[in-house]
Amino acid sequence: MKVLIAVKRVVDYNVKVRVKPDHTGVDLVNVKMSINPFDEIAVEESVRLLESGQAKELIVVSIGPLQAQETLRSALALGVDRGILVQTDETVEPLHVAKILKVLVEREKPDLILLGKQAIDDDCNQTGQMLGALLGWPQGTFISKLVLQNSEAIVTREVDGGHETLKISLPAVITTDLRLNVPRYPKLPNIMKAKQKPLEILSLETLGIVLSSHHKILKVAEPQTRKAGIKVKDVADLVHHLHEEARII
Amino acid sequence: MTVLIVGEHDNTILTPSSLHMISAAQKLGGDIDLLIAGEGCLQVAQKACKIEGLRKVLLLDKPELGHHGAEAMGEAVVQIGKSYDYIMAPATTFGKNFLPRVAALLDVAQISDVIGIESKDTFVRPIYAGNAIVTLQSNDALKVMTVRPTAFSAVSVGSGTATLENVSASFTARSSVFVDRSAVKSGRPELTAARVVVSGGRGFQNAEKFKMIEVLADQLDAAIGASRAAVDAGYVSNDYQVGQTGKIVAPELYIAIGISGAIQHLAGMKDSKVIVAINKDPDAPIFQIADYSLVGDLFDIVPQLIQSLQDLKT
């Protein structure tokens, strides 16, 4: 079985982003970038499928600037076989990404596509579902457990109020939740080996894709800051404040 | 101007999210219809006719939609929604699951987790775990969006006079098959709709001690929340999780106990009206956004707080 994994290069999750003074976006100059944490989980899950003999080939794809090669190399260091970068400096929206991935899916013909459930920069939570729709494939989103058997995927989904189990016939699109697994760290020899693995760089032109933007960003602002609170000395003081002043209890 | 809201329900009860989305839709003006899609959900639709602000309730009763599978929901909402100007669903796991499929099938973008509506084409949403707020102008003719229910007030139920209309849809996509669902039962208010939320973190040390929070929540008629650390450590199940990867809440009172206040947790609760933080680390980031900060050992403080609340009642 062939597995395609889509990864995104994003601001590292530990970084506290700053909005640019001119409100055109957030400041990404000299900010640490990493693989999107949900995508890292998708990579880990695919590597586990490879190790258990259920997957035969893993292909990792990223769409973005030339620096996204690093993100792909980090996936290759974890055990993925080869990488594809669709290079573009344009801003890509989830629908664009889904359309680009669809073209790659038609080229590579994977049996399973793994993506993170959302990117921690745009927080959209759309791409996997959109790709499923464009391909006419079933989906399993926000999954915390994946079992493959008889060309079917049995997935446990994290839903409001509990869990849900679905049986999905392959090929299918699956998006990962944080609880699916704990990604491993790459070992130095594997990082060295990853440099030799094939990494193909494609352009939107060679894939015959033209993107048109669906919306315009008018302003990016800091969220409203909360006014500084007060320190209370003990429980009696706290209850006094909540009861007498805030009148909330 | 017409708006279609896809209502979240379990074929028996409509969640309050629709009431919040209606007031969001009212900011756009025009007629608002509510779609109740499911299996055996006639009663849900009948009750929904009493909600104020609605023109029509559309009932789509099909076995394919019994468990709201994304493939069937996506196709159904496209067929019913394509004649509208806006399609809205709540930014819950229900809406997030199928609405991007609807957008892709209609070849439009989806605007996720809308927290503000500035005009007919201009919307506000959080990015970077709520650390930045983006205002964007959509140029799609049909606008598809998930709406954060806690960002809008709820309309009332009772004197509405919406008409009930049966609608139909056909299905062609390959679908997943529903196996089962495990729900967490509790007699408490629903986390995202509660007036008071009491939330615990890793400071509780184990699942047994975490139960302390239930006694406190009982005193306040509060819902229980948890940080991701508490969930990962196995103190409570993940549907209690508040944060970027869990639930977004905005209650009147949020009490964070033994929670340091990581960015991902703050993203889920920083719009609460009053925030109380109890933590033994005076440098915990949670204190930077708390209205009332109490530094100390939660194992001393929580029992005292429970006692004080009991005294207050008598």
Side-chain angles (χ1 to χ4, degrees), chain A residues 56 61 113 134 148 164 182:
Chain A
K56 288 277 171 290
V61 180
I113 306 169
L134 295 177
L148 294 178
E164 180 181 275
V182 179

Side-chain angles (χ1 to χ4, degrees), chain B residues 194-248:
Chain B
R195 198 182 78 88
V196 181
V197 174
V198 180
S199 215
R202 188 144 44 191
F204 278 88
Q205 296 175 353
N206 61 47
E208 195 50 46
K209 290 178 181 164
F210 196 91
K211 290 208 174 88
M212 218 158 95
I213 224 166
E214 292 178 15
V215 186
L216 180 58
D218 286 342
Q219 290 297 325
L220 291 161
D221 191 25
I224 293 174
S227 69
R228 181 169 150 76
V231 171
D232 283 350
Y235 305 169
V236 279
S237 73
N238 65 290
D239 40 278
Y240 289 94
Q241 187 182 317
V242 172
Q244 187 188 16
T245 55
K247 290 198 171 79
I248 312 280

